[in-house]
Amino acid sequence: MPDTEAQRLEGLLAELLAMMARHADSSEEHVLVEVLTAGEVTQQQIADRLGLDKSRISRLCTSLERKDLLERVRDESNRRNLSLRLTAAGRAEALRLRRHWRERHEEMLAAMTGREREGLFLGLGALAREMTVAHRARCAAGRVRHL
């Protein structure tokens, strides 16, 4: 039984990460939804939005291209840049995913009391803020490691 708040947080985060790991395609799904949200976007922009290394994003995009869900388009104004664009099938899949996630989130929130929802939003907001601050500090110090 954890005896410090830091240990409790570690345990909860480990549970969440384990659940996420069971969904092997979740990174691809997140790329699809991010491209849907952003419109035409570069791989670097998606990497920044998802906090993943550009080489990992490149591999994910290659996989999504093979599945005919995404296409990479050469930027005519700067031929070195590639933009990402959803195919018709990719757009349909991203819309389906976003609907599914929204329904699931609504179910989870409906199962909580108002006080639990308030605590969830307050806590997740603070956690995201602190993780961002810590990440920026590691980047500035040259000690960042992307997944």
Side-chain angles (χ1 to χ4, degrees), residues 7-69:
Q7 288 171 316
R8 286 180 58 202
L9 177 60
E10 289 169 13
L12 289 170
L13 290 175
E15 282 182 53
L16 289 171
L17 288 172
M19 282 186 268
M20 292 170 65
R22 286 192 287 272
H23 302 284
D25 294 335
S26 65
S27 293
E28 287 184 4
E29 291 172 352
H30 281 94
V31 169
L32 286 176
V33 173
E34 284 297 324
V35 174
L36 176 69
T37 301
E40 200 165 302
V41 65
T42 67
Q43 287 183 180
Q44 184 62 57
Q45 289 167 322
I46 291 296
D48 291 343
R49 288 174 76 125
L50 295 177
L52 296 174
D53 185 80
K54 190 175 176 186
S55 63
R56 175 142 164 89
I57 292 296
S58 181
R59 289 189 302 274
L60 292 167
C61 290
T62 297
S63 175
L64 290 166
E65 271 187 309
R66 287 185 184 131
K67 296 174 182 176
D68 194 34
L69 298 173

Side-chain angles (χ1 to χ4, degrees), residues 20-141:
M20 292 170 65
R22 286 192 287 272
H23 302 284
D25 294 335
S26 65
S27 293
E28 287 184 4
E29 291 172 352
H30 281 94
V31 169
L32 286 176
V33 173
E34 284 297 324
V35 174
L36 176 69
T37 301
E40 200 165 302
V41 65
T42 67
Q43 287 183 180
Q44 184 62 57
Q45 289 167 322
I46 291 296
D48 291 343
R49 288 174 76 125
L50 295 177
L52 296 174
D53 185 80
K54 190 175 176 186
S55 63
R56 175 142 164 89
I57 292 296
S58 181
R59 289 189 302 274
L60 292 167
C61 290
T62 297
S63 175
L64 290 166
E65 271 187 309
R66 287 185 184 131
K67 296 174 182 176
D68 194 34
L69 298 173
L70 185 81
E71 59 186 357
R72 291 185 245 204
V73 181
R74 183 84 42 205
D75 183 345
E76 292 302 320
S77 63
N78 183 348
R79 302 284 300 158
R80 293 182 303 172
N81 287 340
L82 289 173
S83 293
L84 305 175
R85 184 184 310 152
L86 295 177
T87 63
R91 181 172 171 72
E93 179 63 9
L95 288 168
R96 185 196 68 74
L97 285 167
R98 193 163 60 183
R99 269 191 314 275
H100 172 73
W101 293 349
R102 176 75 42 86
E103 289 168 2
R104 182 64 187 116
H105 297 155
E106 288 172 353
E107 289 171 4
M108 288 187 289
L109 291 169
M112 296 177 195
T113 66
R115 185 170 178 198
E116 288 171 328
R117 286 191 300 274
E118 287 175 27
L120 174 69
F121 293 129
L122 182 65
L124 286 178
L127 182 62
R129 180 191 69 234
E130 291 306 313
M131 289 176 78
T132 300
V133 167
H135 178 74
R136 286 184 182 148
R138 285 192 311 278
C139 286

